[in-house]
Amino acid sequence: MNSPFTEPMSRRRLLQGLGLAATAPLLAACVGPGQSSTNNGSNAVTGSFDWKKAKGTTLKVLQTPHVYQQTYQPLFKEFTDLTGIEVVADLVPEADYYTKLNTELAGGSATHDAFMMGAYWVWQYGPPGWLEDLDPWINNTAATGAEFDYPDFFEGLRTSMKWDFKLGDAAGTGGTYALPWGFELNNIAYNKTVFDQKGIKPAETFDNLIQLAIDLTDRGNDRYGIAFRGSKSWATIHPGFMTQLAREGGKDYEVKDGKLTAAMNSQVAVDFTKKWADLAKKAGPTSWTTYEYPNCTGDLGDGKAMMVYDADSATYPKNVKGASKMAGQIAWHPGPAGPGGSMATNLWTWCWGMNSKSKNKLAAWLFMQWAAGKDAMNKAVQSGAFADPVRQSVFNGTFKQTLGGFPGYLEAFEAQVPEAKVLFTPQTRFLETTEDWAVAVQSIYGGADAKTTLDALATSNTNKVNS
Amino acid sequence: MSTRQHGAMRSADDTVGGRQAPTVSPARRKWRPYILSIPATVILIGILYPFVQGVGYTFLNYRATEGNVHFIGLSNYLQVFTEPLFWGSVRTTLVFAIVATVLETVLGVIIALLLNRSSLIGKIFEKVLILPLMIAPVIAGVIWKLMFNPQFGILNHIFHLGSTFDFLSEGRALWSIIMVDAWIYTPFVAILVLAGVRSLPKEPFEASAVDGAGWFYMFRRLMLPMMWPYILVAVIFRFMDCLKVFDIVYVLTQGGPGHATSTLQVNAYINSIINFNYSGGATYMFILWIIVYLTAQQLVKLLGRAQARAAGSEA
């Protein structure tokens, strides 16, 4: 008698079996991803607003260790006293944070009800339906207290949380997918003591900045002119690079015939990128291609970097007494204006997103509402390290009172904030295409021809964003 | 002659330890192979299912952040094969694998030969040698990243390289990573080869010594051919591992600067996990699997031939 255990499996039977086995994942994959959540829980919340409406809930939030997170950690107890909601915060270092979050959301997990994120993530997490649309929550008076005052958030921040998921449409259209929490403008923080000793002032044009940074570089004494990010990451592009590129007249994409066309290879962009890479080489940190913002601000605080072109709220803590070697000696400048006097500034927000799969949406919304509320934010600012609160009332009140001996900080902020917004074009491949951009800048730094490299990048990115 | 036996005929062999073996009913006999094969089948499915699913993804346009997933045939393969990044990654992976394996093998053999001499220092080194193997490669990567730092890294300080010499710059990063890999895995090769050296028969060497053969002659004509199977085992392990290198590369450079250290695994990771492109990542992984599989087959054949030759030289 024939037996499957005594007879070798024929090639045909093996292939038949494998073919059948292959159909299962194929079919599963065809219906699995990309489904959006349409069940918004805000409709279920009725009656008058009460902080205790979700009393007894345990809320899980995902955070990355950051000044904002650290200033709010001690305040969580007040939230629990106010609402009866326990908050369990899981912390993941920033280098791995988005990998963790991406994996969790892509897997449809409801482990974390709310999470810290950046505005750019609205473009990634919004279209597949991973984020809750917050407009119904904001507009529901049973779920949102009268003191919440949504228009109190800076306008550029409110618009950067919104998108309609249509390629070519600007941010500010569509639903609201996150709540601003803290934000940052990109500008120059510099070692005022050294500048004063040498009798120099911050540069007002990009060419002058390059010269100044080179002049301040003294490798023999482990001192260099300017620090900015250079690692193989989207994060290399968005602070100083994007800000100065925009001031010089460059853009990421243009809309042509209803399609996005990459513009990072325009003549302006090529000239600028070449200068930027050259600046990194002549006056930047030696291991620039591994540099992230903590390296930059760390070098400023240690007195190694004379200037930093990065987020103001990231350099701010280094000037707090006892926080660094150079504390009390750092000053701020808006950075070089563009040829037409442009002060275009790319802004970054840390914000709160709600997991659309969360089973504790009301509790999550109460938490987000409290975290971005006036009371908690005023207290966070009073702690001394929370810079750039997202509410105009808190900025103009408590924050200005605590600023004290931070020379130029407020002036730089006020010079930049009118032109500050998210300067990138919303698109779903932001992370991938911007990382490719960082790789191109690294290659140019390594000696590759700027025009050829950026042309190849533009072709590739145009294909990617329109595919 | 009548018999009351049921089922299979009994024979004198049906005894266990001098006692009669228990009778197995035909029904149990029929199902026993199926039942006994359940654990192996479960394990096989656990291996096969993800593999087949991964291969299935390579024929889809599956991106986690986008809907409308459908069958696209060989488009992923066509796209990958026309990408300069892919061919760059193949080149980087092969350069890394070949150079690291050769370096580790040569150093490993030298260390094994030195340790083979019985001495107190040799015995101490034998113990110390395995220390790098006790450190997880990710942690080793973090340690080396700190040591490579131009500003405060110990290497620049020891070699008086100044703060402008960057071990992880575009032209040097790949060689620095190879150096780190060699630091971690040379002891593995050395230990494997040392075990081989110590198992070699003494007689051929004694006979050669009587005939007046020199050390180098004995090494080249006797020791090396007999050691060759052990060396090849080490080469197979290391080459396979190097082809799928990820951890130390990602910790040290993330595949940069530019694409200078982008190996196939790093690109697969970036595609799948960072860019949500599951199909693109799976395509990279499947191609890597084919490369590893074919290479392994050739190396195992080579090992078989070497073993046969070594057996001949021993005889």
Side-chain angles (χ1 to χ4, degrees):
Chain A
M1 195 175 107
N2 286 346
S3 157
F5 295 96
T6 53
E7 290 219 332
M9 186 180 266
S10 71
R11 187 175 296 171
R12 184 173 293 174
R13 284 184 68 178
L14 177 69
L15 286 172
Q16 278 173 348
L18 286 175
L20 281 171
T23 55
L26 286 172
L27 291 171
C30 287
V31 295
Q35 289 176 340
S36 62
S37 165
T38 53
N39 182 21
N40 193 302
S42 68
N43 299 338
V45 186
T46 54
S48 57
F49 176 75
D50 182 2
W51 281 110
K52 299 277 187 198
K53 268 188 171 165
K55 188 178 175 186
T57 311
T58 299
L59 191 73
K60 282 199 83 176
V61 298
L62 188 64
Q63 293 189 283
T64 185
H66 189 277
V67 177
Y68 295 153
Q69 172 266 323
Q70 284 151 7
T71 49
Y72 265 75
Q73 193 68 37
L75 303 176
F76 282 178
K77 194 184 167 306
E78 291 185 19
F79 172 73
T80 302
D81 293 342
L82 177 71
T83 60
I85 299 167
E86 278 303 323
V87 181
V88 177
D90 289 333
L91 296 180
V92 178
E94 200 167 338
D96 306 311
Y97 182 74
Y98 287 110
T99 304
K100 158 80 180 153
L101 191 54
N102 294 350
T103 312
E104 198 172 304
L105 294 176
S109 164
T111 309
H112 293 99
D113 303 292
F115 40 82
M116 281 170 70
M117 55 181 263
Y120 312 141
W121 272 260
V122 168
W123 314 336
Q124 312 286 312
Y125 297 166
W130 298 345
L131 292 174
E132 181 86 352
D133 181 0
L134 301 177
D135 277 340
W137 292 93
I138 294 168
N139 298 327
N140 183 353
T141 52
T144 305
E147 74 276 19
F148 183 58
D149 192 10
Y150 188 59
D152 188 34
F153 292 101
F154 282 103
E155 192 190 348
L157 298 172
R158 275 181 282 135
T159 53
S160 67
M161 306 284 112
K162 293 164 83 74
W163 194 37
D164 61 7
F165 310 148
K166 287 181 190 149
L167 201 62
D169 283 4
T173 55
T176 298
Y177 291 92
L179 210 54
W181 190 36
F183 81 116
E184 46 203 49
L185 301 178
N186 294 293
N187 57 29
I188 302 273
Y190 62 97
N191 190 320
K192 191 171 184 300
T193 305
V194 172
F195 272 55
D196 288 348
Q197 278 167 2
K198 292 181 178 287
I200 50 177
K201 288 191 184 310
E204 300 295 345
T205 68
F206 186 46
D207 287 336
N208 285 349
L209 177 74
I210 294 170
Q211 193 54 54
L212 178 60
I214 292 169
D215 291 346
L216 286 167
T217 301
D218 181 1
R219 304 281 187 199
N221 286 312
D222 197 14
R223 205 171 75 180
Y224 66 93
I226 188 163
F228 45 83
R229 302 182 211 194
S231 73
K232 190 181 172 181
S233 160
W234 60 272
T236 285
I237 300 300
H238 90 99
F241 182 91
M242 190 63 186
T243 296
Q244 198 60 42
L245 172 67
R247 288 181 185 182
E248 301 298 311
K251 279 181 174 180
D252 58 349
Y253 297 92
E254 284 168 346
V255 182
K256 284 181 185 167
D257 303 326
K259 283 191 166 187
L260 290 187
T261 305
M264 59 274 294
N265 63 336
S266 66
Q267 196 52 53
V268 167
V270 171
D271 292 343
F272 168 75
T273 311
K274 212 186 297 181
K275 285 182 184 179
W276 189 262
D278 205 36
L279 174 62
K281 193 169 268 179
K282 287 180 178 158
T286 342
S287 53
W288 179 68
T289 52
T290 61
Y291 255 56
E292 291 168 359
Y293 88 85
N295 308 100
C296 300
T297 56
D299 284 359
L300 178 75
D302 288 345
K304 288 179 182 174
M306 295 295 99
M307 293 182 277
V308 165
Y309 203 157
D310 205 285
D312 56 356
S313 60
T315 49
Y316 179 92
K318 294 293 172 192
N319 210 32
V320 175
K321 193 177 174 188
S324 76
K325 214 165 115 183
M326 291 295 126
Q329 300 182 53
I330 299 168
W332 283 264
H333 181 264
S342 168
M343 271 288 125
T345 302
N346 191 41
L347 65 77
W348 162 266
T349 60
W350 273 114
C351 45
W352 282 99
M354 191 197 297
N355 188 342
S356 65
K357 302 284 190 307
S358 166
K359 291 181 173 59
N360 304 307
K361 287 185 181 175
L362 175 60
W365 172 244
L366 289 171
F367 173 78
M368 290 160 68
Q369 189 182 158
W370 167 82
K374 291 176 190 173
D375 282 354
M377 201 162 286
N378 271 316
K379 283 176 185 157
V381 167
Q382 279 161 357
S383 73
F386 190 104
D388 296 359
V390 290
R391 287 181 169 275
Q392 296 172 77
S393 63
V394 181
F395 192 94
N396 291 323
T398 318
F399 185 63
K400 280 189 178 175
Q401 289 159 22
T402 56
L403 252 172
F406 283 60
Y409 193 96
L410 193 58
E411 291 82 353
F413 184 93
E414 287 178 337
Q416 291 177 263
V417 81
E419 290 185 61
K421 61 176 182 178
V422 172
L423 294 171
F424 291 103
T425 308
Q427 43 100 358
T428 57
R429 300 276 180 93
F430 172 80
L431 296 180
E432 183 180 348
T433 51
T434 316
E435 182 172 312
D436 289 348
W437 200 348
V439 168
V441 179
Q442 283 191 341
S443 298
I444 295 164
Y445 173 83
D449 177 66
K451 174 77 178 143
T452 315
T453 308
L454 292 174
D455 279 349
L457 173 75
T459 306
S460 160
N461 280 359
T462 299
N463 289 334
K464 281 181 180 175
V465 297
N466 292 301
S467 64
Chain B
M1 197 171 88
S2 68
T3 175
R4 297 183 62 190
Q5 279 181 311
H6 298 282
M9 292 285 286
R10 284 176 182 262
S11 70
D13 293 341
D14 288 346
T15 55
V16 178
R19 286 189 298 177
Q20 198 70 34
T23 311
V24 180
S25 70
R28 285 180 68 183
R29 189 175 287 256
K30 184 183 171 190
W31 288 106
R32 193 161 59 178
Y34 294 96
I35 293 164
L36 292 176
S37 65
I38 285 173
T41 310
V42 169
I43 292 168
L44 196 64
I45 290 170
I47 295 167
L48 259 187
Y49 182 78
F51 178 80
V52 174
Q53 187 172 33
V55 176
Y57 283 170
T58 66
F59 301 108
L60 304 175
N61 65 335
Y62 184 8
R63 279 181 172 269
T65 53
E66 290 166 24
N68 192 25
V69 178
H70 56 266
F71 183 77
I72 55 167
L74 294 173
S75 296
N76 283 318
Y77 292 95
L78 291 176
Q79 193 187 329
V80 163
F81 287 133
T82 50
E83 274 177 4
L85 173 60
F86 169 76
W87 293 110
S89 306
V90 171
R91 192 185 62 86
T92 305
T93 307
L94 288 177
V95 168
F96 175 84
I98 292 167
V99 176
T101 306
V102 169
L103 183 66
E104 287 159 24
T105 307
V106 171
L107 289 175
V109 169
I110 292 170
I111 291 170
L113 292 176
L114 290 174
L115 289 179
N116 191 35
R117 297 174 175 190
S118 184
S119 69
L120 182 63
I121 292 173
K123 280 176 184 163
I124 292 168
F125 264 99
E126 219 174 288
K127 310 289 181 292
V128 173
L129 198 64
I130 58 168
L131 272 179
L133 289 172
M134 298 295 108
I135 300 171
V138 171
I139 297 172
V142 171
I143 294 168
W144 276 91
K145 191 171 181 178
L146 292 171
M147 298 205 311
F148 281 146
N149 189 293
Q151 270 88 40
F152 57 79
I154 193 164
L155 294 179
N156 287 44
H157 177 73
I158 289 175
F159 298 112
H160 302 288
L161 297 170
S163 63
T164 54
F165 187 91
D166 185 8
F167 280 94
L168 299 177
S169 66
E170 183 135 357
R172 301 187 191 114
L174 185 61
W175 307 106
S176 300
I177 293 170
I178 289 171
M179 193 167 86
V180 174
D181 196 76
W183 180 79
I184 300 172
Y185 293 108
T186 298
F188 168 78
V189 178
I191 288 165
L192 212 64
V193 175
L194 183 61
V197 171
R198 286 189 177 161
S199 70
L200 297 182
K202 291 191 171 60
E203 295 79 6
F205 296 95
E206 286 167 357
S208 299
V210 170
D211 287 345
W215 181 88
F216 185 69
Y217 181 85
M218 279 196 274
F219 171 74
R220 197 165 61 87
R221 303 301 295 264
L222 280 176
M223 192 180 261
L224 204 55
M226 286 195 278
M227 273 167 53
W228 197 234
Y230 300 98
I231 294 172
L232 259 183
V233 168
V235 167
I236 290 171
F237 274 114
R238 286 312 307 138
F239 195 65
M240 297 298 104
D241 256 2
C242 287
L243 282 176
K244 52 194 180 67
V245 65
F246 172 76
D247 34 24
I248 53 172
V249 177
Y250 201 75
V251 169
L252 284 167
T253 62
Q254 293 175 288
H259 290 303
T261 57
S262 284
T263 60
L264 286 163
Q265 280 273 19
V266 168
N267 280 333
Y269 173 81
I270 289 173
N271 259 302
S272 304
I273 306 296
I274 307 288
N275 298 335
F276 308 102
N277 183 0
Y278 292 169
S279 287
T283 309
Y284 264 92
M285 288 307 296
F286 186 54
I287 293 168
L288 178 61
W289 178 83
I290 291 171
I291 294 172
V292 171
Y293 179 76
L294 294 177
T295 314
Q297 272 200 330
Q298 294 310 310
L299 285 173
V300 168
K301 274 184 194 167
L302 203 64
L303 177 66
R305 283 204 291 271
Q307 277 171 333
R309 259 205 310 275
S313 65
E314 269 181 53

